[in-house]
Amino acid sequence: MPLNDDDRRALGAALSLLAKQNTRAFDDALWLCFGDRWWPLRRLLVHQGYITLEGPGDGAPALTDRGKRLADRFKKSPLSVA
C-alpha cells in the first residue's frame, strides 16, 4: 500500500500510541487518518510482522520487535510530528 508523507506521519503517530500500549487509540488513529483503508493497513501490518493481534476475536494489536524498530525510525524521521 503506497503511503504519502501525510500517511507516513499518521502511521508514525499511530505506532507511537501503540508503543505506549494504547491499543484503542492506535486503532482510532488508524481509522481517523486512513478512513476505509485503516483495516487493510492493520492487516498489512500484521502480515508484514510489525504488529500481532492478541486475545479473542480480531485481537488487540501489539508491537513486535520489528514494529518497535519501525516506530523508532518514524520518531527519528524528518516527517515526525514529535
Side-chain angles (χ1 to χ4, degrees):
M1 170 182 294
L3 300 176
N4 62 34
D5 288 348
D6 290 334
D7 290 342
R8 284 190 286 277
R9 279 187 202 91
L11 180 56
L15 290 173
S16 175
L17 292 167
L18 193 53
K20 297 174 187 170
Q21 299 179 348
N22 193 340
T23 60
R24 175 69 181 200
F26 168 76
D27 280 341
D28 287 348
L30 287 183
W31 176 66
L32 289 170
C33 293
F34 293 94
D36 291 341
R37 299 182 305 153
W38 88 275
W39 194 253
L41 178 59
R42 189 179 193 254
R43 283 193 311 236
L44 182 65
L45 292 169
V46 171
H47 180 72
Q48 292 185 349
Y50 293 109
I51 66 173
T52 60
L53 301 177
E54 302 172 346
D58 293 323
L63 282 177
T64 63
D65 287 338
R66 185 175 189 205
K68 289 174 187 173
R69 289 191 300 273
L70 180 62
D72 286 342
R73 279 199 317 248
F74 274 118
K75 266 196 270 190
K76 296 173 185 172
S77 166
L79 294 176
S80 178
V81 292

